[in-house]
Amino acid sequence: MKYLFFCISVYVFPVLLFSQKQDSIQNRFNSDTVLQGVTVNAFQSNLQWKAVPAAVAIISEKEMNRYSDASMVPVFNTVPGVRMEERSPASYRLSVRGSLLRSPFGVRNVKVYWNDIPLTDAGGNTYINLIDMSELTGAEIIKGPAASVYGANTGGAVLLRSDLNFSDKPVNHFSSGLSGGSFGLFQQQAGWQYAEKNFASSLQQSHSQSDGYRVQSATRKDVIKWQSSLRIKNQQIQFLVFYTDLYYQTPGGLTLAQMQLNPKSARPTAGAIPGSVEQHAAIYNKTLFGAVHHEVKLDDHFAWKSFLVGNHTSFTNPFITNYEKRGEANFGAGSSLVYQTQTLHTRFQWINGAEWLYNHSLISDFGNRSGVADTVQFKDDIFSTEWFAFSQTQFSVNEKWIITAGVSLNNQSYRYKRLTDLNTDYVNKKISMVVTPRIAVLYRISNDVSLYALAAKGFSPPAVAELRPSDGNYYGDLNAEYGWNYESGIKGELFDNRLQFDVAAYYFHLQNAIVRRTNTNGAEYFVNAGGTKQSGIEALLKYQLIKTNTQFITGVNIWSSYSFQPYKFDDYQQSGINYSGNELTGVPRNICISGIDMQTRNGFYFNASINATSSLPLTDANDAFADAYQLVQLKLGYRCAKNDQQFHLFAGVDNLLNQTYSLGNDINAVGKRFYNPATGRNVFAGVQYRF
């Protein structure tokens, strides 16, 4: 209750205080604020944020720069209903209004796109850690099932952006940056951008490395990315190519006693099972990615969009119990036809499209002899194919009512063979075709405030890493999870657009849930086990206290997000034990994040935030809980611009209170090794120059 009281106070107090003072300070504001006129691309709606009948969160480029760019975690966690974790540096996992029951690492049941090109492969996996924060200019997060347009998912979709701008005259920009911090953190970026009237191009390079807070937690990442955009009459062609060489060590989970004794330690040897240091546990990921996106305006009513994408990943993982090598080849294509028309009082849009993804994974497991691949244990060959077709209409009347209805037909199939088993044939598995409808209605109470309600079905088939997990077995009887989401919300802007708010309540009933299990050696596998009831409330508030050009302090914004997630198991059993009614494993009941952003006339700025996260269950039996924590983060910087030159100096501190906490727990871990301690108090500083 203390989290709920704290967040209600944060929301209510500034609204009451500053609404009473509105007349006396109104001349310090104008109607053209940063909160007004925000347009979103989610569901291809191209509507103002407050007119979209969906729970869509927007992360702006300014918000992405609020923290150190060494990690995506604090940025994404400012969004209510979104939880990003980091079991070890660079090892991200992400959930949107969901649990991490099936996500020991990576991203599951959430579809990720970059500039409308899918990063998620046909095997259901997304290597979001291949991206460097400096490459992005923003993101949109669709919360709740979005399968009607984006295919297989139950959690939602993440739409990443890296925008290029055209210029009336040819212009070149060069940029560079250096930063460093505690525990051997070092980052370097360099870039070149060229723009003219119908062509823009960007070439970026980045390097980052760290010794890590814990033993066996060093990281190194090198990225080079080329992006361009070409306009030819009524067409626009975009290219996206990047190569990432990523290496990070994995220190492994600790027991509570081990974490309290020394949170910097790696998983030790336990009997006959060696520790992380002895086995040189780590991840090596080298990925080459290329894609092209084409859009053509056929006439005043029709537009056609399409994409082609291909990538290859070389993945190596020395683990505690084995040494795995994977070669992954991915291809994809998609196309959609958009029709739109309008009259004096109505607007109509109709989109029809399809998307196809293909994955081929060659997986080889060896023994691990102190970080060296030993005898072959087995080799597996897996093919995954995913395709879906969708249709969506959007109809608005008098700019008051906006109705969206969509449906998709989803297909998922696999072929599997163990190459080391002689005289065996490929095993075919096909998920029965699933229809996923969605309908949403929005009513604009005024030009600034909207009410909406929706119902949507989600569908998420097992990922390749779940059909063939780290225990080396193939689980061909694993099936898709699915469920219906019902939601209503209110959002908009008040007080001359200084207050932005977004409040939603939802109920999601997940059935046939895919959940993670571990064997006695700590290797994982997955099963379908009952369901979950995930009802909750989300609230976001942003208030612009000051916006002026005449005072020393030119801008002050306060913001707060709150997530109430009393998720429960439903008809959920394991080994004859019924866990129905227990709290959902790995999900905190309350999360409240609040902050303040300040700017001055001479270029200084200050950002501060506090993340208050409640305790969370670590086992399905709810017999072990991770403690609550309060994470304080600060950043101070200076920006100046003269002629065509820009200079940026910054410094900050993370985990100011030096809390000992785990940001990425191993749920239901054997031996109660639940905890992956996050970095203690640490500092960072850097400089960026653009000319």
Side-chain angles (χ1 to χ4, degrees), residues 16-29 495-496 498 543:
L16 295 178
L17 175 62
F18 292 102
S19 62
Q20 294 172 356
K21 296 183 178 181
Q22 183 177 0
D23 293 336
S24 63
I25 63 174
Q26 182 149 355
N27 59 353
R28 299 163 68 183
F29 301 88
F495 308 134
D496 197 20
R498 287 178 292 147
Y543 194 88

Side-chain angles (χ1 to χ4, degrees), residues 19 141 283 312 316 444 517 565 642:
S19 62
I141 301 177
I283 298 289
H312 182 272
T316 303
R444 302 190 70 166
R517 297 281 183 261
Q565 303 171 141
K642 185 176 182 181

Side-chain angles (χ1 to χ4, degrees), residues 85-89 91 93 104-105 214 251 663-666 676-677:
E85 299 184 342
E86 197 170 24
R87 298 172 68 236
S88 59
S91 178
R93 59 187 185 187
F105 59 88
R214 298 177 62 191
L663 185 61
N665 303 287
D666 293 339
N676 290 282

Side-chain angles (χ1 to χ4, degrees), residues 465-679:
E466 294 165 337
L467 285 172
R468 197 280 192 190
S470 62
D471 74 347
N473 295 312
Y474 177 70
Y475 293 84
D477 56 348
L478 197 61
N479 285 309
E481 59 182 16
Y482 60 92
W484 276 90
N485 179 61
Y486 304 94
E487 179 177 347
S488 62
I490 181 171
K491 55 184 174 180
E493 297 160 340
L494 295 173
F495 308 134
D496 197 20
N497 300 305
R498 287 178 292 147
L499 172 67
Q500 182 186 50
F501 63 93
D502 188 355
V503 181
Y506 60 91
Y507 172 79
F508 179 51
H509 187 194
L510 181 66
Q511 301 180 65
N512 212 33
I514 299 174
V515 298
R516 176 180 181 250
R517 297 281 183 261
T518 55
N519 62 25
T520 55
N521 291 326
E524 66 187 11
Y525 64 98
F526 297 83
V527 298
N528 294 108
T532 63
K533 290 183 177 180
Q534 298 169 206
S535 58
I537 298 173
E538 298 165 355
L540 173 69
L541 178 144
K542 299 178 182 179
Y543 194 88
Q544 196 168 51
L545 294 177
I546 297 175
K547 180 180 173 65
T548 178
N549 294 320
T550 61
Q551 305 295 324
F552 173 72
I553 297 177
T554 57
V556 176
N557 296 325
I558 60 172
W559 54 271
S560 187
S561 69
Y562 174 63
S563 305
F564 178 59
Q565 303 171 141
Y567 299 167
K568 301 287 186 181
F569 285 117
D570 177 55
D571 189 24
Y572 182 76
Q573 299 188 33
Q574 179 189 355
S575 302
I577 303 175
N578 191 341
Y579 293 121
S580 300
N582 283 10
E583 295 182 37
L584 202 58
T585 317
V587 178
R589 188 179 181 90
N590 297 280
I591 303 175
C592 184
I593 305 176
S594 300
I596 183 170
D597 302 324
M598 181 184 301
Q599 301 85 37
T600 68
R601 187 170 54 190
N602 58 4
F604 286 96
Y605 68 89
F606 174 72
N607 303 323
S609 66
I610 178 170
N611 178 333
T613 299
S614 66
S615 63
L616 57 87
L618 297 169
T619 65
D620 297 345
N622 289 181
D623 56 5
F625 283 76
D627 290 338
Y629 62 85
Q630 296 79 41
L631 182 64
V632 176
Q633 295 165 294
L634 308 175
K635 185 178 180 181
L636 175 68
Y638 171 73
R639 291 189 180 96
C640 67
K642 185 176 182 181
N643 298 327
D644 292 330
Q645 301 180 71
Q646 298 176 19
F647 178 77
H648 181 202
L649 181 69
F650 60 89
V653 58
D654 181 34
N655 194 3
L656 179 66
L657 304 180
N658 200 28
Q659 300 253 296
T660 298
Y661 71 105
S662 175
L663 185 61
N665 303 287
D666 293 339
I667 61 178
N668 295 312
V670 174
K672 299 185 177 181
R673 293 186 295 268
F674 305 119
Y675 304 95
N676 290 282
T679 305

Side-chain angles (χ1 to χ4, degrees), residues 32 49 76 158 171 229 290 325 370 483 522 557 560 569 597:
D32 185 18
W49 161 81
F76 276 77
V158 176
V171 60
S229 183
K325 296 182 180 181
S370 301
N557 296 325
S560 187
F569 285 117
D597 302 324

Side-chain angles (χ1 to χ4, degrees), residues 27-234:
N27 59 353
R28 299 163 68 183
F29 301 88
N30 58 57
S31 60
D32 185 18
T33 70
V34 295
L35 303 178
Q36 192 177 27
V38 179
T39 302
V40 300
N41 297 312
F43 296 105
Q44 300 190 38
S45 58
N46 295 317
L47 295 171
Q48 283 190 344
W49 161 81
K50 56 193 174 186
V52 178
V56 180
I58 299 173
I59 302 176
S60 67
E61 184 174 11
K62 183 177 180 181
E63 290 168 328
M64 284 193 163
N65 293 323
R66 183 180 282 148
Y67 303 97
S68 166
D69 59 3
S71 173
M72 294 183 177
V73 171
V75 175
F76 276 77
N77 283 344
T78 61
V79 178
V82 175
R83 182 167 172 82
M84 180 175 273
E85 299 184 342
E86 197 170 24
R87 298 172 68 236
S88 59
S91 178
Y92 300 135
R93 59 187 185 187
L94 175 69
S95 68
V96 180
R97 279 191 186 169
S99 70
L100 296 168
L101 288 175
R102 60 182 290 199
S103 300
F105 59 88
V107 181
R108 310 274 171 89
N109 68 8
V110 175
K111 199 75 174 286
V112 181
Y113 290 79
W114 188 356
N115 291 348
D116 300 323
I117 298 164
L119 286 180
T120 303
D121 61 37
N125 187 42
T126 306
Y127 293 120
I128 200 169
N129 53 1
L130 299 178
I131 302 170
D132 191 87
M133 281 283 290
S134 64
E135 300 169 345
L136 302 177
T137 58
E140 297 177 15
I141 301 177
I142 302 171
K143 296 181 286 185
S148 62
V149 171
Y150 298 104
N153 70 84
T154 53
V158 176
L159 312 180
L160 303 174
R161 306 297 306 178
S162 55
D163 298 324
L164 292 178
N165 297 317
F166 297 101
S167 175
D168 291 334
K169 60 180 181 179
V171 60
N172 286 280
H173 285 290
F174 299 90
S175 61
S176 62
L178 288 174
S179 61
S182 304
F183 311 111
L185 175 65
F186 173 76
Q187 294 179 289
Q188 171 269 324
Q189 299 99 20
W192 163 74
Q193 289 184 339
Y194 173 79
E196 57 181 62
K197 186 174 182 179
N198 293 310
F199 178 72
S201 179
S202 170
L203 181 65
Q204 293 177 278
Q205 172 272 330
S206 65
H207 169 82
S208 62
Q209 65 183 57
S210 171
D211 297 332
Y213 172 71
R214 298 177 62 191
V215 175
Q216 195 65 21
S217 66
T219 64
R220 186 200 69 247
K221 180 163 74 172
D222 290 283
V223 182
I224 184 166
K225 186 203 75 164
W226 174 68
Q227 180 182 348
S228 71
S229 183
L230 174 66
R231 291 192 300 202
I232 306 174
K233 294 183 179 180
N234 59 341

